[in-house]
Amino acid sequence: MGRVGRVAVATALVCAAGLAVLAVPGVTYAAPVPTPGSTPTAGAPSRSLEEVHREVEALYRKAETATDAYNAAGEQLRLQEKSVADLTRRVADAQQRLDRLRAQTGALARAQYRSGGLGPGTRLMLSGEPHTFLSGAALARRGEQATKGLIERLTATRAELDRYAKAAEERRKALDGERKKKEAAKKEIEEQLEAAKKLESQLQEKERDRLRQLEEERARQAQAQWLASAGKGLMNLPGSSAATGDAKRALDFATAQIGKNYVWGAEGPDTYDCSGLTLKAWAAGGRPIPRTSQEQWRQLPKVDLKDMRPGDLIIYFGDASHVGMYVGDGMIVHAPRPGRQVTLAGAGTMPILGVVRPG
């Protein structure tokens, strides 16, 4: 749609809503949309749908960044819980060994007490019978070595128990820290989503429709610009039908989820967030990958954009907070954001950070 057409549509929308239109060249004003928590004042300038769109997108972007932090904290929480459980078992095993060694040490001490506190070597020397001394010398040495070994094992087990107990305590502290991080991220997500919903709820129905159209128009423009520059060579690359093996299985899984709702922190089977979708898709392909888009970007092998193929993951934004799976022909399948469903979209509709290949 050309500039004249866009202005005409926006003007018709505003007139239909019975609102005043301020005719300034290049700017179309919509109904006043107050900032969440604020009260509109008489004579205050209204915000255009462009401004509302930017603010809503910014709120959802902040929520998505917080979602990645939430997922990362959840992953660390699982690892810490596993580590604590493992250390707890080791502490219990070491304690049992220590108890057995203490019992053996106690038995040895009682035996020495019954013999008057004399060691086996001394008792042999005082036996007065040479054949008894000679035959028992080797046995005495073995007894002394066993006693020494028992004491060494007792000391080592005590030290091992102390190490495990200290490590378990450190892990528990880390566990508490990850819980706090997860709760803080959850609070941040909920605050940003609530602000976005409140802002959108203040729009009239026609304005919400226009806001959705504006979002789609911006996506089309971004995709066209991307294809005309960095993405133009991709249209000559093999499409999704060329995917084979693990990549095909991952791609088939991801596209089968189209239409399912986005829910932050979700890994399926009914709802997904962006990295939850790619995680499960590649699990279906037989390749385990990190949980978050940031870790997928950090850990998986990088691929040049011109060498991208179906099944590869495209990481978006400078903080690697969004991910989609390339399906071919310049398109991705992804879980966009709350209020949206898993869908196909242009690969260039968001700022691309880079591409990684799980398999």
Side-chain angles (χ1 to χ4, degrees):
M1 182 183 292
R3 176 176 176 279
V4 174
R6 290 197 297 274
V7 172
V9 170
T11 302
L13 170 63
V14 173
C15 290
L19 302 170
V21 177
L22 179 59
V24 177
V27 180
T28 302
Y29 287 86
V33 182
T35 302
S38 68
T39 302
T41 57
S46 61
R47 286 190 292 169
S48 69
L49 283 176
E50 278 276 356
E51 293 170 321
V52 174
H53 173 259
R54 284 195 297 270
E55 186 169 347
V56 168
E57 287 300 306
L59 289 167
Y60 280 124
R61 282 279 302 112
K62 289 178 182 178
E64 187 164 45
T65 299
T67 297
D68 220 41
Y70 176 88
N71 290 336
E75 188 70 10
Q76 285 301 312
L77 197 59
R78 286 191 289 271
L79 293 174
Q80 295 291 2
E81 286 172 343
K82 184 176 181 297
S83 179
V84 167
D86 181 59
L87 284 167
T88 300
R89 284 193 297 272
R90 293 189 180 191
V91 167
D93 290 344
Q95 185 64 58
Q96 288 177 359
R97 290 200 306 275
L98 186 62
D99 292 342
R100 286 195 299 269
L101 289 168
R102 280 174 174 165
Q104 292 174 21
T105 304
L108 180 62
R110 288 190 295 273
Q112 289 179 338
Y113 176 77
R114 286 193 296 271
S115 65
L118 297 177
T122 303
R123 292 200 306 275
L124 284 170
M125 290 179 66
L126 296 176
S127 66
E129 298 183 13
H131 71 277
T132 302
F133 176 84
L134 293 174
S135 63
L139 181 62
R141 282 195 297 271
R142 287 197 295 272
E144 289 172 352
Q145 290 171 352
T147 301
K148 181 182 178 182
L150 179 61
I151 294 172
E152 287 175 348
R153 290 197 301 276
L154 181 64
T155 302
T157 302
R158 281 174 177 162
E160 182 182 25
L161 179 60
D162 289 343
R163 286 197 307 273
Y164 287 152
K166 183 179 179 181
E169 182 60 28
E170 291 174 351
R171 289 291 188 276
R172 288 189 184 97
K173 289 179 181 178
L175 195 63
D176 289 340
E178 293 303 332
R179 285 196 182 103
K180 290 176 182 177
K181 286 182 184 177
K182 189 174 180 180
E183 285 303 313
K186 179 181 178 182
K187 183 179 179 182
E188 173 72 10
I189 293 165
E190 290 173 343
E191 287 177 351
Q192 300 301 330
L193 293 182
E194 182 60 31
K197 289 176 183 176
K198 185 175 182 180
L199 186 58
E200 289 180 310
S201 71
Q202 293 167 345
L203 295 172
Q204 295 183 13
E205 184 177 353
K206 289 184 178 180
E207 289 175 312
R208 286 196 292 272
D209 290 342
R210 175 58 184 144
L211 190 63
R212 181 80 179 243
Q213 293 170 11
L214 183 62
E215 179 183 319
E216 294 171 353
E217 178 63 23
R218 282 299 177 86
R220 283 193 293 271
Q221 291 176 359
Q223 176 72 353
Q225 291 173 1
W226 178 71
L227 287 175
S229 55
K232 58 185 178 182
L234 294 176
M235 303 308 291
N236 299 321
L237 295 177
S240 59
S241 60
T244 59
D246 297 344
K248 185 178 188 307
R249 288 192 293 273
L251 196 56
D252 288 346
F253 180 94
T255 53
Q257 311 313 307
I258 290 174
K260 294 184 178 181
N261 288 333
Y262 177 108
V263 172
W264 58 270
E267 300 177 10
D270 300 318
T271 58
Y272 296 89
D273 64 17
C274 67
S275 57
L277 176 64
T278 55
L279 172 80
K280 291 301 183 181
W282 270 102
R287 298 293 182 102
I289 64 174
R291 170 61 178 93
T292 70
S293 56
Q294 292 179 344
E295 286 303 302
Q296 289 170 10
W297 171 245
R298 190 176 72 85
Q299 296 185 34
L300 297 177
K302 308 282 191 301
V303 177
D304 195 282
L305 189 66
K306 64 180 177 59
D307 298 321
M308 186 165 58
R309 66 191 188 199
D312 288 347
L313 304 181
I314 304 182
I315 309 297
Y316 292 95
F317 302 106
D319 59 358
S321 58
H322 191 75
V323 59
M325 179 180 288
Y326 187 60
V327 300
D329 301 322
M331 303 292 289
I332 61 168
V333 57
H334 73 143
R337 64 167 174 81
R340 299 288 188 265
Q341 291 75 40
V342 176
T343 188
L344 291 173
T349 55
M350 297 166 285
I352 294 175
L353 178 61
V355 181
V356 295
R357 178 170 296 159

